[in-house]
């Protein structure tokens, strides 16, 4: 019966729900993603990082400048969600992720190695992986990511006041965690580049 009541409530409010989704996609998602990207850049302002801006978190990436070869980097980091495509809006990834893989976070990506070669590198760099995990990063198979927990009320307040900077404070803490173990990521990166070369 509860589901029937929910369905009835949705049917009665479908116009508002459709308008809400459109507004999220066209206005809210771009604003919150821009605020998060600005917060990341600000937190890394004293570091020598390269930023590739994009219209979407999946199109934006960053890496130490020393990793850039021909205006590209492999591996690289993104401020995104591993499984963001499972949710209909980016706002949900900030406010209501159903699991850590759907949460906005710092994600490690690579492209130029076969999975078996990447696994072999991880196997030989267990100490680096321990350091990375001790800093709060998670491993799920070959994925390495740091989920960021945002305060939904702070985000709502930020939208109400027209300023999301305070709501993006958790990004600074995530950047600090990344900074603590950047050498371990450097070690993984150097091994990967040597193998791909």
């Amino acid at each position: 019966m509860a589901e029937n009541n929910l369905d009835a409530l949705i049917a009665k409010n479908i116009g508002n729900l459709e308008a809400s989704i459109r507004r999220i996609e066209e206005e809210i998602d771009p604003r919150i993603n821009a605020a998060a990207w600005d917060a990341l850049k600000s937190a890394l302002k004293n570091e020598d990082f390269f930023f590739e801006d994009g219209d979407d978190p999946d199109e934006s990436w960053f890496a130490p400048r020393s990793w850039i070869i021909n205006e590209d980097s492999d591996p690289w980091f993104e401020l995104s969600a591993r499984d963001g495509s499972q949710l209909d809006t980016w706002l949900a990834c900030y406010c209501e992720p159903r699991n850590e893989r759907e949460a906005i976070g710092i994600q490690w990506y690579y492209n130029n190695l076969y999975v078996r070669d990447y696994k072999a590198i991880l196997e030989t760099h267990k100490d680096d992986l321990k350091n990375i995990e001790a800093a709060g990063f998670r491993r799920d198979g070959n994925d390495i990511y740091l989920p960021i927990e945002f305060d939904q009320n702070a985000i709502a307040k930020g939208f109400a006041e027209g300023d999301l900077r305070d709501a993006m404070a958790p990004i600074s803490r995530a950047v600090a965690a990344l900074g603590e173990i950047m050498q371990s990521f450097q070690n993984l990166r150097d091994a990967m580049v040597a193998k791909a070369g």
Side-chain angles (χ1 to χ4, degrees):
M1 192 62 175
E3 288 186 357
N4 288 346
N5 290 339
L6 176 60
D7 292 347
L9 183 64
I10 290 171
K12 287 180 182 178
N13 292 282
I14 190 61
N16 290 333
L17 293 172
E18 287 286 336
S20 296
I21 290 294
R22 277 195 303 277
R23 176 144 184 92
I24 291 169
E25 292 173 347
E26 296 171 6
E27 301 291 335
I28 296 175
D29 276 356
R31 283 173 58 199
I32 198 167
N33 287 332
W37 191 242
D38 288 346
L40 177 78
K41 285 181 168 182
S42 179
L44 286 169
K45 66 183 175 191
N46 295 325
E47 305 296 332
D48 197 14
F49 273 79
F50 172 88
F51 299 93
E52 180 65 37
D53 298 339
D55 292 333
D56 190 277
D58 288 335
E59 297 170 1
S60 305
W61 58 272
F62 64 102
R65 287 195 182 276
S66 62
W67 294 11
I68 304 299
I69 300 171
N70 297 326
E71 298 181 6
D72 201 0
S73 177
D74 192 358
W76 69 94
F77 296 101
E78 290 182 12
L79 182 66
S80 188
R82 291 296 309 173
D83 290 339
S85 61
Q86 299 302 311
L87 295 170
D88 290 329
T89 68
W90 287 110
L91 181 62
C93 294
Y94 290 90
C95 294
E96 289 283 344
R98 293 171 294 197
N99 55 59
E100 289 185 336
R101 290 179 61 89
E102 290 181 345
I104 295 293
I106 294 176
Q107 321 291 335
W108 160 266
Y109 286 91
Y110 72 96
N111 197 36
N112 286 340
L113 287 181
Y114 291 113
V115 172
R116 69 176 180 272
D117 293 332
Y118 180 66
K119 283 183 178 179
I121 288 169
L122 295 184
E123 185 64 27
T124 59
H125 286 81
K126 288 183 179 178
D127 288 343
D128 288 314
L129 290 174
K130 285 180 185 176
N131 292 338
I132 289 169
E133 290 178 27
F137 281 77
R138 311 287 197 259
R139 280 192 59 211
D140 185 355
N142 294 329
D143 294 337
I144 300 173
Y145 59 100
L146 177 64
I148 302 174
E149 187 174 337
F150 292 89
D151 183 331
Q152 187 173 11
N153 291 326
I155 289 174
K157 181 181 177 185
F159 276 116
E161 296 176 352
D163 188 346
L164 289 165
R165 284 177 292 185
D166 288 346
M168 297 296 109
I171 292 176
S172 294
R173 293 190 290 275
V175 166
L178 176 63
E180 288 175 13
I181 41 80
M182 199 61 219
Q183 185 57 53
S184 292
F185 277 116
Q186 182 73 50
N187 295 342
L188 292 178
R189 183 263 179 189
D190 290 347
M192 292 168 71
V193 170
K195 182 66 178 177

